[in-house]
Amino acid sequence: MTETDSPLPSPPDVTSADAAATSIREMILEGHFMPGDRLHQDHLAETLGVSRTPLRTALARLAQDGLIDYEPNRGYRIRRFLVSDIREAFTVRANLEGLACRLAAEAGMSTGDLDRLQALVAEGDAILFKGALPIDQLPAYRRMNVEFHETIIAAAGNRWIGRFVHQSHNVPLVSDRVILWDDFGVIHRSHDDHRRIAGALADRDGVRAQNLMNEHVTYAGQLLADRLEADPSATLRHAFHDKKADDRTRPSTGDPR
Amino acid sequence: MTETDSPLPSPPDVTSADAAATSIREMILEGHFMPGDRLHQDHLAETLGVSRTPLRTALARLAQDGLIDYEPNRGYRIRRFLVSDIREAFTVRANLEGLACRLAAEAGMSTGDLDRLQALVAEGDAILFKGALPIDQLPAYRRMNVEFHETIIAAAGNRWIGRFVHQSHNVPLVSDRVILWDDFGVIHRSHDDHRRIAGALADRDGVRAQNLMNEHVTYAGQLLADRLEADPSATLRHAFHDKKADDRTRPSTGDPR
DNA sequence: ACCCCTAATAATGTATCCAATCATGTGAAT
DNA sequence: ATTCACATGATTGGATACATTATTAGGGGT
């Protein structure tokens, strides 16, 4: 079986349209725009220092990603996300990642991948050892979390799952890079899910791994959505969200993985 | 609850880039290109009667859809689909459509939608009444099938499911418009699935509807993939696939080039 | 004969220009 | 006063021209 060296690779921005796309994407996730805002092509092109042609392809890509809306002859607008969008995205993500677990378990993961999962669990253990998640350890924890999920998805051997999960990440806050860090109980339980999932995968117990992952993602989504509805600003304060990971490049659009 | 008048609407080709995209998409699904073929921009633009600018946006869209591959400075190529791609797409489709059933059942479908499903089942009954699927009834049967699935997906109230299922349809032959019509036993059973699914949805039995739909789609995919592996040409002959209307002539096996 | 380097060629990426469409604002008629 | 019509300005869509990158053909050297 083939080893998954880098779970979800993303190519560098070789063309200027790519660069524009990533720039705009980061701008949006950074909250630089308000929902409903129009994206002036002339203005944006001048800001990014490119012509309108590559800009337009970049906008088209973002629209396909679902990050912005497009209407012919009316241009592009920042999409307005509702809490229901977040719930729905998490529902699908939970199902797909659960499916990934079952497929990976049934296929039998390589010892390399299994070791990797165990190492990631150990990483989490080390971080959470003191019964808390120190704020300065958040990046490390987040990276561990991302890699855990991506490893399983890659091991599932079904390109569509990775593709769709990736797309669902384009909804703000719906990402395994987002971590609500103010409730240690939740985090501890979440990490325990990881441990059990890794164990189920090692045992090739597909159904158990699937159920665990489904609940794992579903609960995270429910928690986030409930909090958003209760108090959006407080939730955003406690959600650790970096638009540009320290080491990881941003998954670009249009790449066959 | 709101009525779903047109389950999954697809906007008309208002811009010429849209027209180019649909044209090329149909060309590809029609088998007009061979896997790995390069898509010359100048040539295609002239063929379609448009400039390279809208053509390029169309190609970018198709690449995002996964129908063609793209490499910077090297252009677009027809993607090479393997039987495994078809299997994988069906796996995900089965899971997502099963999820759609569960969600629709739990939310409770409107009486309008339920009536519609019943009407569609009755349509199928009428077509299959004589214990066979007459070749001239294929278009009607196919339309019924498409509408059945789309109605449920729309009723699930989760835009991501529809979106992803739609994308998975971009794999050649992975579409509810494709029907293997030479085995009446399979068709009869498939239609019986529809009946039971409609019943489960009416009973708000989410799990049952989910399981039925999952198996319904999974089996279709397995049958198709197994046949393709056994004898591709024979399978294609028995797979009824129309890209748009019922006015197709022949998909010219010996394509010009 | 083979390989590598170089130059010509072709195809893609980008910029600019023109056309078509939509939004806005003014004015007259009811 | 309100509404409809029309004209004007702004913005997007499409076509063309230019720049840059890959591919390929050819020649010289080993």
Side-chain angles (χ1 to χ4, degrees):
Chain A
M1 164 157 271
T2 168
E3 205 70 20
T4 63
D5 38 14
S6 179
L8 297 174
S10 53
D13 294 338
V14 50
T15 179
S16 66
D18 298 336
T22 61
S23 289
I24 301 173
R25 173 179 285 120
E26 288 180 6
M27 276 180 169
I28 295 175
L29 292 182
E30 203 170 335
H32 197 269
F33 298 103
M34 292 297 290
D37 278 0
R38 284 192 58 178
L39 295 172
H40 264 265
Q41 297 184 358
D42 264 323
H43 182 242
L44 255 183
E46 194 178 10
T47 301
L48 299 178
V50 297
S51 160
R52 267 183 59 211
T53 308
L55 173 71
R56 286 185 57 193
T57 75
L59 290 174
R61 266 185 230 175
L62 296 177
Q64 259 265 341
D65 276 357
L67 220 62
I68 58 181
D69 288 328
Y70 169 68
E71 254 184 305
N73 293 320
R74 286 196 195 174
Y76 297 85
R77 291 174 171 279
I78 299 291
R79 180 173 158 191
R80 187 177 305 276
F81 283 101
L82 309 173
V83 178
S84 62
D85 290 317
I86 295 180
R87 287 189 194 277
E88 292 174 14
F90 264 104
T91 298
V92 172
R93 218 192 104 194
N95 213 254
L96 288 176
E97 292 210 41
L99 176 63
C101 274
R102 208 192 66 206
L103 294 178
E106 289 174 353
M109 290 177 74
S110 70
T111 55
D113 283 341
L114 287 172
D115 290 346
R116 177 180 214 157
L117 290 184
Q118 286 297 350
L120 291 168
V121 170
E123 269 186 48
D125 288 341
I127 294 175
L128 302 180
F129 178 65
K130 297 178 180 173
L133 176 51
I135 188 80
D136 64 313
Q137 292 277 54
L138 267 171
Y141 188 81
R142 176 190 43 71
R143 184 163 50 244
M144 179 278 294
N145 189 54
V146 169
E147 216 174 303
F148 187 87
H149 285 261
E150 286 186 349
T151 298
I152 294 173
I153 289 171
N158 187 314
R159 93 182 61 212
W160 298 95
I161 295 177
R163 191 186 151 112
F164 293 158
V165 169
H166 169 65
Q167 284 189 40
S168 75
H169 282 0
N170 280 328
V171 182
L173 296 180
V174 183
S175 168
D176 43 17
R177 292 186 312 246
V178 174
I179 293 172
L180 293 175
W181 50 266
D182 62 333
D183 185 336
F184 181 74
V186 170
I187 290 188
H188 190 268
R189 160 68 193 260
S190 170
H191 183 57
D192 204 51
D193 288 341
H194 279 203
R195 188 193 328 279
R196 293 198 191 187
I197 289 169
L201 288 171
D203 296 341
R204 300 201 177 187
D205 191 338
V207 175
R208 183 172 167 234
Q210 179 174 30
N211 289 334
L212 280 165
M213 179 61 89
N214 201 318
E215 174 61 21
H216 178 69
V217 176
T218 296
Y219 184 79
Q222 246 179 34
L223 181 68
L224 179 62
D226 286 348
R227 289 244 206 136
L228 273 176
E229 266 170 357
D231 187 350
S233 56
T235 303
L236 291 173
R237 263 201 308 283
H238 290 132
F240 182 77
H241 181 217
D242 72 338
K243 56 257 162 267
K244 184 174 183 177
D246 340 332
D247 51 347
R248 217 160 56 102
T249 73
R250 202 89 183 97
S252 175
T253 68
D255 58 333
R257 47 179 98 264
Chain B
M1 165 154 279
T2 168
E3 204 71 19
T4 62
D5 38 15
S6 180
L8 294 175
S10 52
D13 295 338
V14 50
T15 179
S16 65
D18 297 335
T22 62
S23 289
I24 301 172
R25 176 178 281 119
E26 289 179 5
M27 277 181 173
I28 295 176
L29 293 181
E30 201 171 338
H32 198 269
F33 298 103
M34 292 298 290
D37 278 0
R38 282 191 62 176
L39 295 171
H40 283 259
Q41 298 183 359
D42 264 321
H43 181 242
L44 254 183
E46 194 179 9
T47 300
L48 299 178
V50 297
S51 159
R52 269 182 57 210
T53 308
L55 174 71
R56 270 164 68 68
T57 75
L59 290 174
R61 262 184 234 172
L62 296 177
Q64 259 265 345
D65 279 355
L67 218 63
I68 58 181
D69 288 329
Y70 169 68
E71 254 183 306
N73 293 319
R74 286 197 194 172
Y76 296 86
R77 291 174 170 280
I78 297 292
R79 181 174 157 192
R80 186 175 305 276
F81 281 103
L82 310 173
V83 178
S84 61
D85 290 317
I86 295 179
R87 287 190 194 279
E88 292 174 15
F90 264 104
T91 297
V92 171
R93 218 193 104 195
N95 212 255
L96 289 176
E97 291 210 42
L99 175 63
C101 275
R102 209 193 62 202
L103 294 178
E106 288 173 353
M109 289 178 72
S110 70
T111 55
D113 283 342
L114 288 172
D115 289 347
R116 177 180 214 155
L117 291 184
Q118 286 297 349
L120 290 168
V121 169
E123 269 186 49
D125 288 341
I127 294 174
L128 303 180
F129 177 65
K130 297 179 180 173
L133 175 51
I135 186 79
D136 63 313
Q137 293 276 55
L138 266 171
Y141 188 80
R142 175 191 45 71
R143 187 162 45 243
M144 179 278 293
N145 189 54
V146 170
E147 217 174 302
F148 187 87
H149 285 261
E150 286 186 349
T151 298
I152 294 173
I153 290 171
N158 186 314
R159 90 184 61 207
W160 299 93
I161 295 177
R163 195 185 145 124
F164 293 158
V165 168
H166 176 70
Q167 284 188 40
S168 75
H169 281 1
N170 280 328
V171 182
L173 297 179
V174 183
S175 167
D176 42 18
R177 291 185 315 214
V178 173
I179 293 173
L180 293 175
W181 51 266
D182 61 334
D183 186 336
F184 181 74
V186 170
I187 290 186
H188 190 268
R189 160 67 193 260
S190 170
H191 184 57
D192 204 52
D193 288 341
H194 279 204
R195 187 193 328 278
R196 293 198 190 187
I197 289 168
L201 289 171
D203 295 342
R204 299 201 178 189
D205 190 338
V207 175
R208 183 172 165 234
Q210 179 174 29
N211 289 335
L212 280 166
M213 179 61 90
N214 200 318
E215 174 61 21
H216 179 68
V217 176
T218 296
Y219 184 80
Q222 248 181 31
L223 181 67
L224 179 61
D226 287 348
R227 289 244 206 137
L228 273 175
E229 267 171 355
D231 187 350
S233 57
T235 303
L236 291 173
R237 263 201 307 283
H238 291 132
F240 181 77
H241 181 220
D242 77 333
K243 60 264 166 257
K244 185 161 191 177
D246 323 319
D247 56 358
R248 195 169 61 134
T249 54
R250 277 288 303 143
S252 77
T253 52
D255 59 71
R257 196 177 36 251

